[in-house]
Amino acid sequence: MNAEGVSDEEFLLRWNLNVDEIATMRAAGAPKEYNTARQPLVNLIDALSKRNDYRQIVIQKGEMVVSLQKGAPA
C-alpha cells in the first residue's frame, strides 16, 4: 500500500477496514456527541429546559449563576 501523501488516520483506516466499511463510516457523518454523567450541569439545564411549569429558574453555586427564563427578555 502506498502511504505517501496519506494522513496517519487515513493510513490506519485503510489498513484496518475494507473499502465498504470506510464508505459506510464516512456516510454516517460526524460523530454524535452524548451528554454523560461527566456533564451534570449540562444534563440539568437540558432537563429543566424541557419543563413547562416555570417562568424562571436560577441556579447558583458560589460566584457562578445560571438563569433560565421562558419567553422574551424583559
Side-chain angles (χ1 to χ4, degrees):
M1 177 186 304
N2 183 1
E4 191 173 317
V6 175
S7 70
D8 292 344
E9 292 83 5
E10 182 71 20
F11 178 77
L12 289 173
L13 280 176
R14 291 179 184 184
W15 181 264
N16 290 302
L17 303 175
N18 67 45
V19 174
D20 293 334
E21 291 171 321
I22 294 171
T24 300
M25 180 190 68
R26 289 191 172 140
K32 296 179 176 121
E33 285 191 37
Y34 297 97
N35 292 328
T36 65
R38 295 181 191 173
Q39 301 167 318
L41 183 57
V42 172
N43 292 336
L44 175 64
I45 291 170
D46 181 55
L48 291 173
S49 70
K50 294 175 182 171
R51 294 181 55 175
N52 293 317
D53 59 341
Y54 70 90
R55 288 193 64 201
Q56 182 179 26
I57 293 177
V58 177
I59 305 165
Q60 181 172 355
K61 181 173 182 179
E63 296 292 318
M64 184 178 77
V65 178
V66 176
S67 178
L68 302 174
Q69 183 174 340
K70 292 275 186 184

